[in-house]
Amino acid sequence: MELASLRAFAAVARFRSFSQATDHLHLTQPAVSKRISKLEEALDSKLLERRGRQIELTEAGRALLSRVQDVEQSVK
């Protein structure tokens, strides 16, 4: 699990938007999508529900977001 993937997930989760997350991270949308897909594969769990432009966190996504926040605090 890469820190870059966790950061991409956290940005999408916080903004509830891929486009806002890509602006924040200075990455392309395909790059952010790929990082999240790799993270979902590594965890064998769906983290986001994508409904058109709406993004909702799954239960696993909510649990991971709280852990990512802990990791981000320890890395700063």
Side-chain angles (χ1 to χ4, degrees), residues 11-12 17-30 32:
V12 171
S17 164
F18 274 86
S19 60
Q20 288 181 6
T22 59
D23 290 344
H24 176 75
L25 297 168
H26 306 288
L27 295 170
T28 64
Q29 192 274 335
V32 171

